[in-house]
Amino acid sequence: MGHSRSFTCVASLLIALHQTSGFWLFNVIFPPTAKPLIINNSTPPLIIVPGNLGNRLEAKIDKPTLVHWMCYKKTEDWFPLWIDLNMFMPIGIDCWVDNIRIVYNRTTRKTSNAPGVEVRVPGFGQTHPIEFLDLNKLTGYFHTMVQHLVSIGYVRNETVRGAPYDWRIAPSKCFDLYAISGENDGIPFVSNIKIREEQRMTTTNPWMIPSEEAWSRDHTFISTPFFNYTNQDYQQFFKDIDFEDGWYMWEDTKNLTAGLPPPGVEVYCLYGVGLPTPVTYVYDEQFPNADPIDIIYDDGDDTVGSRSMSLCKRWMGKQEQAVHVTEVRGMDHLDMVFNHKVLTAIQRILEGKYHEKTSDSSEDPPSLSLGFV
C-alpha cells in the first residue's frame, strides 16, 4: 500500500507539471537521443550561467524558532532547498519560505540568511545543479541543452560547465559570498500570496523591475483604484505595499546596468517574440493583498516583454565586435533551453557556422558563456 500511495503521489505531480505552463515544461524528459561523437579538442569551452531560480540550492539548519511546530528545527546534513518537494505540502511551504528567505539590513545594505540557516550552492563548475533542479529529476532545466551538447562531442564538467550561484542575491555590494502579490513561477498547488514573502526577501527581484532603459516614464505597470504606478513611483509603490526594504534593495542595484554600455565582446542575442506578455497588472481595492483582477498584455515571450529583451540591439554599431540579434517568433521564455531550433543555433555558433562563416582553424577556439534570464 505504501508503494501504491507513493506512485499515486508522483503520478499526480507529473500530471500537474504537465498541465502547468511557464516554468514547468514536461518535454524536458525527452532529450535528444543522438549518441556522442568522438571528442574533438577544437570544441570551444562552454560555460552556462543559469537565470533566476535556475540552479539548486542546499541548506543546513539549526533554528532558534520555528514558524510551525511541524517544521524541522535542526538537520545534521545538507538537504535540498531549491527545489525541495516538501514545498508542495500545505505546511511545507511555510517551512520552505522561512528557510529560503534572506534578511536585508537597510542600514548596512547587506543581506544574510534567515537565523539558524546556512545556504550553499552545490556543484560549481558542474552541470548537474542546472540540468535538474531536484534530486528526483522531475524538474528539468538545462538537461536537454546539455544532452544536445554531449551528442555533438561535449563532455560534462570538462568542456561544458555550469556556473550556479545564489540567485536570491543581486550582484551588488550586498553579494558578499560568491514584486506585489507574488508569482508562483508555475509551481503547482502553491498560491501567489503564499510565496510572496520569499520573493520579497530576495534582492534580485527589485533589481529586475522595469527601468527607464526600456520603458517610458508614463507607462503604468500597476493600476489600482487609488494610484497608477510608473517607473517614477517606485518609492511610493514599495511604501504602499508595506515593503519599504524593497526601495533600498532597488537603490542598491538600479545602476548595475545603467546606460547599458557595450560589453566589448561578440554578442549573440536570441529571444522569443510574438506572444502576449504581461506589462500592466490591474488590482481592485484589495490591493496589495490579493491577486490582480486583470492583466494588460504586449509583445514578448510570455514572461519578458520584447521592449526589455531587444535592448541588446542598442549595441549594434557601438562596439568593434559584432552583435547578432535573432528574434524567434512564437518562442516561449523557458522553451528557449529546450527548442530544437535554438539548440541548433547554439550549435552553429559554437561551430562558427551561425552565418555560414568559417573560422580560422589555425587559431584556438574562444570560450563561450551562455547567460539566461
Side-chain angles (χ1 to χ4, degrees):
M1 288 296 291
H3 290 293
S4 176
R5 285 195 294 269
S6 298
F7 174 80
T8 302
C9 180
V10 172
S12 300
L13 178 58
L14 285 173
I15 292 172
L17 295 177
H18 180 64
Q19 293 176 339
T20 306
S21 62
F23 189 82
W24 310 93
L25 295 181
F26 194 73
N27 60 1
V28 72
I29 67 172
F30 301 107
T33 57
K35 296 181 180 180
L37 302 176
I38 297 175
I39 299 174
N40 189 335
N41 289 333
S42 66
T43 302
L46 179 64
I47 301 172
I48 301 177
V49 183
N52 190 27
L53 308 175
N55 58 257
R56 298 181 191 176
L57 297 177
E58 295 179 340
K60 183 187 292 186
I61 59 174
D62 185 3
K63 309 184 72 168
T65 59
L66 297 176
V67 294
H68 193 280
W69 67 268
M70 290 186 66
C71 300
Y72 283 109
K73 183 177 177 65
K74 183 177 181 178
T75 61
E76 298 297 331
D77 300 314
W78 296 93
F79 65 90
L81 182 61
W82 179 257
I83 289 178
D84 177 9
L85 296 183
N86 287 324
M87 64 186 291
F88 297 107
M89 306 303 292
I91 301 301
I93 184 65
D94 296 317
C95 307
W96 174 77
V97 167
D98 193 52
N99 289 336
I100 201 171
R101 68 186 178 92
I102 62 173
V103 179
Y104 178 78
N105 186 315
R106 69 171 67 173
T107 301
T108 64
R109 302 294 180 98
K110 293 185 177 183
T111 60
S112 60
N113 292 314
V117 178
E118 294 181 68
V119 176
R120 72 178 184 183
V121 179
F124 184 83
Q126 301 178 0
T127 62
H128 71 85
I130 65 173
E131 288 195 59
F132 292 96
L133 303 184
D134 72 295
L135 296 178
N136 297 305
K137 297 185 177 181
L138 293 174
T139 51
Y141 187 23
F142 278 102
H143 175 65
T144 299
M145 178 179 290
V146 172
Q147 191 66 20
H148 180 91
L149 294 167
V150 169
S151 75
I152 63 171
Y154 276 82
V155 179
R156 283 181 172 88
N157 310 327
E158 293 186 19
T159 52
V160 55
R161 293 179 175 269
Y165 57 95
D166 192 340
W167 38 261
R168 302 174 304 158
I169 306 171
S172 66
K173 61 184 179 182
C174 300
F175 198 11
D176 295 330
L177 298 180
Y178 192 116
I180 306 161
S181 53
E183 167 57 52
N184 68 358
D185 296 297
I187 303 171
F189 319 125
V190 178
S191 73
N192 290 334
I193 293 296
K194 177 66 72 172
I195 208 169
R196 177 174 66 180
E197 181 181 354
E198 178 273 331
Q199 292 184 316
R200 286 188 174 186
M201 288 293 98
T202 63
T203 54
T204 44
N205 280 327
W207 181 41
M208 293 190 295
I209 61 178
S211 72
E212 293 184 41
E213 301 287 355
W215 299 89
S216 65
R217 297 166 63 94
D218 59 355
H219 179 87
T220 297
F221 294 102
I222 305 296
S223 179
T224 78
F226 320 107
F227 199 87
N228 289 329
Y229 300 92
T230 71
N231 56 29
Q232 304 299 302
D233 305 306
Y234 286 151
Q235 186 170 17
Q236 183 65 45
F237 166 74
F238 284 117
K239 180 179 180 180
D240 291 347
I241 66 172
D242 195 26
F243 180 44
E244 292 190 73
D245 278 351
W247 165 252
Y248 295 95
M249 293 178 184
W250 179 73
E251 281 202 317
D252 290 340
T253 57
K254 65 180 180 180
N255 292 322
L256 289 177
T257 55
L260 292 177
V265 295
E266 188 170 12
V267 175
Y268 292 86
C269 190
L270 296 84
Y271 54 88
V273 296
L275 294 178
T277 301
V279 294
T280 301
Y281 292 87
V282 181
Y283 290 81
D284 60 17
E285 62 279 354
Q286 298 183 66
F287 170 85
N289 296 313
D291 290 333
I293 60 171
D294 196 12
I295 299 175
I296 299 174
Y297 296 86
D298 199 352
D299 184 74
D301 68 358
D302 188 44
T303 300
V304 182
S306 57
R307 294 191 221 183
S308 296
M309 293 185 294
S310 63
L311 287 175
C312 50
K313 290 181 179 179
R314 296 189 183 182
W315 295 332
M316 291 180 166
K318 299 292 181 62
Q319 64 176 28
E320 180 181 348
Q321 300 83 358
V323 176
H324 313 276
V325 177
T326 301
E327 296 182 337
V328 187
R329 184 153 297 277
M331 182 66 64
D332 181 86
H333 183 73
L334 193 63
D335 219 21
M336 291 290 290
V337 299
F338 303 122
N339 185 270
H340 178 72
K341 290 182 179 179
V342 177
L343 298 182
T344 300
I346 293 173
Q347 177 181 341
R348 294 180 67 82
I349 293 172
L350 295 168
E351 295 173 342
K353 300 177 181 178
Y354 190 66
H355 290 293
E356 299 301 326
K357 295 179 181 179
T358 56
S359 58
D360 186 349
S361 59
S362 65
E363 297 180 356
D364 292 331
S367 63
L368 180 67
S369 295
L370 292 180
F372 294 83
V373 296

XYZ file of all heavy atoms in Angstrom, residues 169-204:
282
model
N 20.326 36.621 -4.327
C 21.048 37.845 -4.005
C 21.524 38.511 -5.290
O 22.180 37.881 -6.126
C 22.247 37.545 -3.095
C 21.779 36.765 -1.851
C 22.946 38.832 -2.673
C 22.891 36.245 -0.997
N 21.213 39.788 -5.461
C 21.605 40.520 -6.659
C 23.116 40.754 -6.675
O 23.758 40.830 -5.622
C 20.869 41.860 -6.726
N 23.704 40.886 -7.871
C 25.164 41.076 -7.982
C 25.584 42.503 -7.671
O 26.021 43.259 -8.525
C 25.435 40.731 -9.446
C 24.175 41.100 -10.148
C 23.065 40.777 -9.187
N 25.454 42.882 -6.417
C 25.856 44.221 -5.998
C 26.752 44.087 -4.777
O 27.221 43.010 -4.440
C 24.620 45.057 -5.653
O 23.970 44.532 -4.513
N 26.974 45.187 -4.073
C 27.821 45.123 -2.884
C 27.193 44.273 -1.784
O 27.868 43.896 -0.832
C 28.085 46.531 -2.355
C 26.818 47.295 -1.937
C 27.160 48.701 -1.528
C 25.913 49.488 -1.119
N 26.220 50.866 -0.758
N 25.897 43.965 -1.931
C 25.265 43.080 -0.957
C 25.714 41.637 -1.147
O 25.552 40.804 -0.269
C 23.740 43.135 -1.108
S 23.027 44.759 -0.866
N 26.278 41.337 -2.296
C 26.615 39.960 -2.649
C 28.024 39.659 -2.166
O 28.972 39.648 -2.921
C 26.499 39.796 -4.160
C 26.393 38.365 -4.626
C 26.174 37.340 -3.720
C 26.531 38.056 -5.954
C 26.081 36.029 -4.147
C 26.443 36.753 -6.396
C 26.214 35.737 -5.489
N 28.152 39.390 -0.889
C 29.468 39.224 -0.291
C 30.043 37.837 -0.491
O 31.262 37.659 -0.461
C 29.410 39.515 1.213
C 29.074 40.968 1.477
O 29.439 41.811 0.645
O 28.439 41.243 2.506
N 29.181 36.830 -0.662
C 29.659 35.459 -0.643
C 29.862 34.861 -2.017
O 30.491 33.825 -2.148
C 28.666 34.574 0.139
C 28.502 34.962 1.598
C 27.500 34.041 2.277
C 29.841 34.889 2.335
N 29.999 35.108 -3.086
C 30.371 34.383 -4.327
C 31.727 34.765 -4.701
O 32.521 34.163 -4.901
C 29.488 34.813 -5.431
C 29.538 34.003 -6.667
C 28.359 33.314 -7.046
C 30.621 33.912 -7.460
C 28.265 32.632 -8.215
C 30.554 33.205 -8.651
C 29.380 32.569 -9.026
O 29.300 31.880 -10.213
N 8.297 41.458 -5.785
C 7.292 42.107 -6.525
C 5.938 42.178 -5.916
O 5.810 42.290 -4.825
C 7.227 41.528 -7.853
N 4.669 42.241 -5.921
C 3.498 42.803 -5.201
C 2.735 41.650 -4.568
O 2.767 41.442 -3.367
C 2.538 43.544 -6.156
C 3.331 44.567 -6.914
C 1.399 44.175 -5.433
C 2.627 45.010 -8.131
N 1.884 40.930 -5.377
C 1.076 39.828 -4.859
C 1.809 38.510 -5.015
O 1.273 37.459 -4.692
C -0.260 39.757 -5.607
O -0.058 39.702 -7.006
N 3.021 38.558 -5.503
C 3.793 37.332 -5.630
C 3.577 36.655 -6.968
O 2.647 36.970 -7.715
N 4.441 35.711 -7.285
C 4.351 34.949 -8.530
C 4.862 33.555 -8.226
O 5.980 33.381 -7.743
C 5.195 35.608 -9.625
C 5.434 34.761 -10.861
C 4.147 34.315 -11.509
O 3.281 35.168 -11.788
O 3.995 33.107 -11.716
N 4.018 32.544 -8.490
C 4.406 31.198 -8.092
C 5.277 30.492 -9.114
O 5.608 29.319 -8.953
C 3.161 30.349 -7.784
C 2.327 30.046 -9.026
O 2.640 30.481 -10.130
N 1.268 29.292 -8.831
N 5.652 31.190 -10.206
C 6.569 30.649 -11.207
C 6.106 29.311 -11.753
O 6.904 28.446 -12.102
C 7.984 30.510 -10.627
C 8.574 31.853 -10.262
O 8.760 32.676 -11.171
O 8.820 32.085 -9.069
N 4.798 29.134 -11.824
C 4.262 27.904 -12.381
C 4.305 26.723 -11.437
O 4.039 25.597 -11.841
N 4.636 26.922 -10.162
C 4.708 25.820 -9.220
C 3.286 25.386 -8.868
O 2.513 26.171 -8.331
C 5.450 26.229 -7.938
C 6.855 26.732 -8.273
C 5.523 25.068 -6.956
C 7.575 27.344 -7.100
N 2.907 24.138 -9.160
C 1.540 23.707 -8.879
C 1.262 23.659 -7.397
O 2.149 23.416 -6.578
C 1.494 22.295 -9.497
C 2.909 21.846 -9.537
C 3.739 23.085 -9.762
N 0.005 23.909 -7.028
C -0.500 23.819 -5.663
C -0.018 24.950 -4.755
O -0.348 24.963 -3.574
C -0.131 22.481 -4.986
C -0.242 21.280 -5.874
C 0.835 20.439 -6.053
C -1.428 21.008 -6.542
C 0.741 19.328 -6.879
C -1.537 19.904 -7.368
C -0.449 19.065 -7.536
N 0.760 25.886 -5.259
C 1.311 26.950 -4.421
C 0.690 28.276 -4.833
O 0.794 28.677 -5.993
C 2.844 27.027 -4.538
C 3.388 28.172 -3.684
C 3.475 25.705 -4.108
N 0.066 28.987 -3.884
C -0.585 30.247 -4.216
C 0.431 31.371 -4.334
O 1.495 31.338 -3.712
C -1.617 30.610 -3.137
O -0.968 31.037 -1.957
N 0.085 32.379 -5.135
C 0.963 33.532 -5.303
C 1.174 34.266 -3.985
O 2.288 34.670 -3.646
C 0.363 34.495 -6.336
C 0.411 33.937 -7.743
O 1.256 33.119 -8.062
N -0.508 34.385 -8.577
N 0.107 34.469 -3.229
C 0.211 35.199 -1.974
C 1.104 34.457 -0.996
O 1.905 35.060 -0.267
C -1.186 35.415 -1.364
C -2.013 36.373 -2.255
C -1.086 35.978 0.041
C -1.460 37.773 -2.345
N 1.008 33.135 -0.975
C 1.798 32.333 -0.040
C 3.292 32.487 -0.302
O 4.102 32.524 0.619
C 1.379 30.865 -0.151
C 2.189 29.918 0.736
C 1.958 30.180 2.212
C 0.599 29.736 2.656
N 0.424 29.814 4.128
N 3.665 32.597 -1.577
C 5.085 32.646 -1.910
C 5.621 34.077 -1.938
O 6.805 34.303 -2.138
C 5.322 31.951 -3.270
C 6.746 31.377 -3.334
C 5.086 32.900 -4.446
C 6.966 30.463 -4.510
N 4.738 35.053 -1.699
C 5.146 36.450 -1.787
C 6.274 36.791 -0.820
O 7.200 37.531 -1.174
C 3.945 37.358 -1.521
C 4.288 38.842 -1.510
C 3.055 39.707 -1.394
N 2.399 39.532 -0.106
C 1.284 40.194 0.247
N 0.710 41.017 -0.608
N 0.740 39.998 1.429
N 6.231 36.253 0.395
C 7.249 36.603 1.385
C 8.631 36.211 0.910
O 9.591 36.975 1.045
C 6.956 35.929 2.723
C 7.982 36.275 3.809
C 7.688 35.588 5.125
O 6.632 34.939 5.247
O 8.529 35.711 6.028
N 8.749 35.008 0.324
C 10.055 34.566 -0.174
C 10.551 35.484 -1.271
O 11.721 35.858 -1.313
C 9.954 33.121 -0.693
C 11.250 32.581 -1.269
C 11.445 32.903 -2.739
O 10.444 33.033 -3.461
O 12.602 33.035 -3.171
N 9.669 35.864 -2.186
C 10.092 36.688 -3.309
C 10.440 38.107 -2.883
O 11.311 38.737 -3.475
C 9.005 36.696 -4.385
C 8.848 35.328 -5.036
C 7.856 35.355 -6.158
O 6.785 35.945 -6.047
N 8.178 34.709 -7.254
N 9.785 38.606 -1.855
C 10.150 39.930 -1.356
C 11.508 39.912 -0.693
O 12.230 40.902 -0.709
C 9.087 40.413 -0.358
C 7.790 40.847 -1.027
C 6.845 41.484 -0.030
N 5.664 42.021 -0.703
C 4.719 42.729 -0.084
N 4.811 42.969 1.202
N 3.690 43.182 -0.772
N 11.861 38.780 -0.107
C 13.129 38.700 0.591
C 14.252 38.177 -0.302
O 15.070 37.359 0.084
C 12.984 37.811 1.825
C 12.170 38.463 2.939
S 13.014 39.912 3.665
C 12.228 41.264 2.781
N 14.256 38.603 -1.562
C 15.399 38.369 -2.444
C 15.734 39.695 -3.102
O 14.844 40.410 -3.560
C 15.083 37.327 -3.546
O 14.039 37.821 -4.390
C 14.665 36.001 -2.948
N 17.006 40.037 -3.145
C 17.379 41.322 -3.720
C 17.393 41.276 -5.240
O 17.501 42.316 -5.887
C 18.764 41.755 -3.220
O 19.711 40.721 -3.484
C 18.733 42.043 -1.725
N 17.261 40.086 -5.829
C 17.236 40.002 -7.287
C 15.913 40.503 -7.858
O 15.887 41.052 -8.963
C 17.464 38.548 -7.747
O 16.685 37.668 -6.935
C 18.924 38.169 -7.644
